[in-house]
Amino acid sequence: MAPFFSGISGGLSGQGGFGFGRKKITVVPRIRKLTVPAAVYAPTKWDLDVNGALTLSGPSSYTITAGNPDGSWSGTVTVAMWAAGGTAAYLGDGGGGGGSFGDITLINGTSYIMVSGHAAPGYGGGYSGIFMTSETQPNAIMMAGGGGGGGSYSENYIGGEGGGTTGGQGAGPAPGNSTGGGGGTQSAGGAGGTSGGNAISYGAGAGSALLGGRGANGGAPGPAGAPATPSGGPGGGGQYGTNTNSWQTGGGGGGYFGGGGGGAYRLNDSVPVIDTPAAGGGGSGYINPVYVTNGNTYPHSNPISKNHPQRGTAGNGGIDGVGGPVAAVAGKIILS
C-alpha cells in the first residue's frame, strides 16, 4: 500500500516538512523621519528613532513635514503638549495651561503646523496645537488650552485654568460686581466678563475660535468696550484690558475655543477710576478622533498633565507673590 503523502512534493526549500510552498512576506520598515526647519535642527532631517524625541518649546510656530527625501513616513508619533499659562496682574495670578496627549498617524508628504503657545506679558496664555496644512480650527488635530490672565487688586482674582474640553472660569468678586471671563468649550468661546450694579461698564471680549477675548478696556466707557483681539504671539491668548490707573483685567486663554476676557466697571462716570478688574477664562483643549488614538485633553490641575515627567514648568501661570513676580511659562510640544 502506497504511503498516504506519496503524491506531495518534498519539503519547503531548504527545510523538511510538507511542501505546500511558502508565500514570501515583505516587512515594510518603520520610517519616522521628519523634515524640520533649520531653526529646529540645521540638517532639517529629524529621525525620531535615531535622534530621539523632538521638543518644540514655545513660543514658536513651525511647519514640519512627515517624511523626507531619505524615506517616506511610516508609523505613528506619540505627542505630549502643554499650552502656555496666563500672565499675572497686580496680585492676581494667571491660570495654568492644560495638557493634551495621544498618538497621531501622520500622512506622508503632508505638512503640519505645530504651535507652542506664547506667555507674553499682558496676555492670556496661548494654546499649543498641531494643525494639518494650515493653522485654522477645521484643521486642528490636537490642541491644549491656554490659561486665562489674572485680574488686579485681589489675590482671589485668578485666571481660569486652560485645557480639558471646557476651560476654567476666570475669578472675580461676588456676584453684583464684575465677573471673570468664561471658559471656552467644544462649541463656543467663553463669554466676556460683565459688570454689575449701576456702574458704567467697560465691555470685555468673548472668546472665539482659537482666540481668547480681550479684557475689559479702560480706553472708553460704555458697553461697546473691547472685542476679542489678535494675540501677542503664537497661540491666540487675549490681551489684557488697561487704563491710566494701571489696573488690568485678564485676557482669555487661547484654545480650540478661547476663554473670555475679564470684566470690570467704573465707579464714577466723571472720574476714570474702576473697581474689581476680574480675570480671564481658560481656553479649551481638543482631540480630533479621526487622526488621534489614545487621546485625552486635561485641565492644568489634573495630575496626569501637571505631574507628567516631561512637562517641566511648561504652562505654569504667572505669579504676583510676596517674593516678587514670576513670569508665566510658554507651551511645549514633544514628539516621540
Side-chain angles (χ1 to χ4, degrees):
M1 181 175 179
F4 180 75
F5 290 108
S6 63
I8 300 177
S9 63
L12 298 175
S13 177
Q15 299 181 28
F18 306 129
F20 291 103
R22 180 168 60 180
K23 184 178 180 180
K24 183 178 180 180
I25 299 174
T26 302
V27 178
V28 178
R30 183 178 75 162
I31 300 174
R32 301 196 308 144
K33 296 180 180 180
L34 300 167
T35 300
V36 301
V40 174
Y41 184 61
T44 72
K45 301 174 183 178
W46 188 279
D47 189 328
L48 292 169
D49 297 312
V50 174
N51 300 103
L54 176 63
T55 299
L56 304 171
S57 296
S60 65
S61 179
Y62 296 118
T63 299
I64 292 177
T65 304
N68 64 39
D70 290 344
S72 299
W73 175 274
S74 175
T76 61
V77 60
T78 297
V79 178
M81 66 169 64
W82 294 268
T87 55
Y90 176 66
L91 295 182
D93 296 343
S100 292
F101 310 88
D103 300 321
I104 301 176
T105 300
L106 302 182
I107 300 172
N108 182 59
T110 299
S111 294
Y112 296 86
I113 312 301
M114 301 194 182
V115 180
S116 299
H118 71 82
Y123 287 85
Y127 61 76
S128 290
I130 297 177
F131 303 82
M132 184 181 293
T133 69
S134 66
E135 191 180 345
T136 59
Q137 192 189 61
N139 288 339
I141 294 176
M142 179 187 294
M143 297 183 67
S152 296
Y153 296 112
S154 174
E155 294 178 352
N156 296 321
Y157 298 172
I158 299 172
E161 65 178 351
T165 55
T166 299
Q169 173 85 25
N177 293 313
S178 61
T179 62
T185 70
Q186 298 298 287
S187 58
T194 61
S195 67
N198 296 318
I200 303 294
S201 172
Y202 292 89
S208 58
L210 306 185
L211 291 176
R214 181 172 176 171
N217 190 2
T229 62
S231 69
Q239 187 177 10
Y240 275 66
T242 61
N243 78 352
T244 56
N245 296 306
S246 300
W247 59 268
Q248 291 181 316
T249 53
Y256 185 66
F257 278 98
Y265 68 87
R266 193 159 80 175
L267 293 174
N268 187 309
D269 190 29
S270 62
V271 179
V273 176
I274 64 91
D275 194 17
T276 59
S284 60
Y286 175 71
I287 301 293
N288 188 320
V290 175
Y291 299 103
V292 182
T293 57
N294 305 314
N296 286 288
T297 181
Y298 299 103
H300 176 78
S301 60
N302 187 289
I304 293 176
S305 177
K306 190 170 185 178
N307 300 332
H308 193 285
Q310 293 176 299
R311 183 180 78 88
T313 60
N316 282 356
I319 299 173
D320 189 54
V322 176
V326 177
V329 183
K332 179 196 295 188
I333 297 177
I334 298 175
L335 310 177
S336 61

